[in-house]
Amino acid sequence: MTRRELAHWARQPVQMVVGLVFPVMLLVMFGYLVGGGRGVEGDYIDFLVPGMLALTMAFGLEATMIAVTQDLNKGVIDRFRSMPMTNGAVLVGRSAADMLQSAVGLAVLIGVAYALGWRAHGTFGSFLGAVGLLLLFRFAMLWIGIQLAMVAGKPELVQAVQILVWPVGFLSNAFAVPKSMPDWLGTVVEWNPMSHTATAVRDLLGSPGGEPGHVWAAIIWPLALLAVFFPLAVRRFGALSK
């Protein structure tokens, strides 16, 4: 199933390229056009890059969501059901392909950030730990997206449903620190799972805004989301494909 999705990339490379370029445009826009970072101590680029890495893991789910709904509506699932495979294999294969693209996207964005002057501080082990937290968060968000896709049911409804994911990205500390926000908004931002991931990544990379103790929260939150949405998605997929 993963090879099947990779073959789709080869036939539709534009979609993947757009997915890689979009976070780079956001990084340049917020780093140089918007700028600022009210309340941030230190270089704003050093603060922004880890936040952008986390934001990239929360966005770009629509390709996977559309692919899932297309499989449901094209009847290809009937062919898969005749094969010795579980219902979850279709979704896990698609999620594995998405994770490969996410890893490539992280590498591209980190490379652009280095070209812009950003540097990761700390050990190589802490850098790998930060990448691991980012991919774990992506995996959790991916299964939320898959569940929302099956709720939508049709590719044309995916765009409307995926808007539900936007608050996770924008109501976070990706661009500014919570203490610079109104109290009620800062509280919401601090409870956002993505904020925990961004703060933990900043801490591991030695960037401004990092705080010790957020690594465990950045692990527990995605695992809790996976514990809820993974079985929900597999169960719903099995029911819809009958």
Side-chain angles (χ1 to χ4, degrees):
M1 296 306 303
T2 303
R3 288 198 301 269
R4 171 177 174 260
E5 298 305 329
L6 295 178
H8 290 169
W9 291 1
R11 292 194 297 269
Q12 300 173 344
V14 175
Q15 183 175 338
M16 182 177 181
V17 171
V18 170
L20 296 176
V21 171
F22 180 70
V24 172
M25 291 175 59
L26 285 181
L27 175 61
V28 174
M29 181 180 70
F30 280 97
Y32 291 98
L33 298 180
V34 178
R38 191 158 52 102
V40 175
E41 298 179 359
D43 193 329
Y44 184 54
I45 287 293
D46 288 342
F47 175 87
L48 177 65
V49 169
M52 282 301 310
L53 295 176
L55 186 68
T56 302
M57 297 296 96
F59 284 2
L61 301 173
E62 59 271 13
T64 297
M65 295 168 68
I66 290 174
V68 170
T69 55
Q70 285 177 338
D71 281 348
L72 289 172
N73 286 277
K74 286 182 177 178
V76 68
I77 300 302
D78 294 334
R79 191 187 319 161
F80 293 150
R81 287 180 63 201
S82 67
M83 302 171 66
M85 60 166 37
T86 63
N87 286 324
V90 178
L91 299 181
V92 172
R94 187 61 189 85
S95 65
D98 184 285
M99 292 302 295
L100 288 174
Q101 183 175 1
S102 299
V104 173
L106 272 182
V108 170
L109 193 58
I110 290 172
V112 172
Y114 263 80
L116 296 178
W118 174 80
R119 294 293 181 270
H121 306 285
T123 65
F124 184 67
S126 65
F127 176 82
L128 292 180
V131 172
L133 290 180
L134 290 166
L135 292 177
L136 176 62
F137 178 67
R138 173 64 175 191
F139 195 57
M141 292 300 299
L142 181 60
W143 283 95
I144 295 175
I146 290 174
Q147 172 66 7
L148 291 177
M150 289 185 291
V151 170
K154 297 181 179 180
E156 55 267 24
L157 296 179
V158 165
Q159 188 171 5
V161 174
Q162 65 138 356
I163 293 177
L164 298 175
V165 179
W166 289 8
V168 177
F170 289 117
L171 294 178
S172 70
N173 63 358
F175 307 118
V177 294
K179 65 182 180 181
S180 68
M181 307 172 186
D183 291 341
W184 66 270
L185 182 58
T187 301
V188 172
V189 167
E190 288 177 347
W191 276 94
N192 187 337
M194 200 192 94
S195 293
H196 288 292
T197 296
T199 302
V201 170
R202 288 180 177 121
D203 181 46
L204 290 172
L205 298 180
S207 300
E211 297 178 7
H214 282 262
V215 172
W216 282 112
I219 295 174
I220 293 172
W221 262 114
L223 291 179
L225 293 173
L226 280 171
V228 173
F229 286 97
F230 181 88
L232 282 177
V234 172
R235 190 178 301 116
R236 188 176 184 90
F237 185 81
L240 291 176
S241 61
K242 291 180 180 179

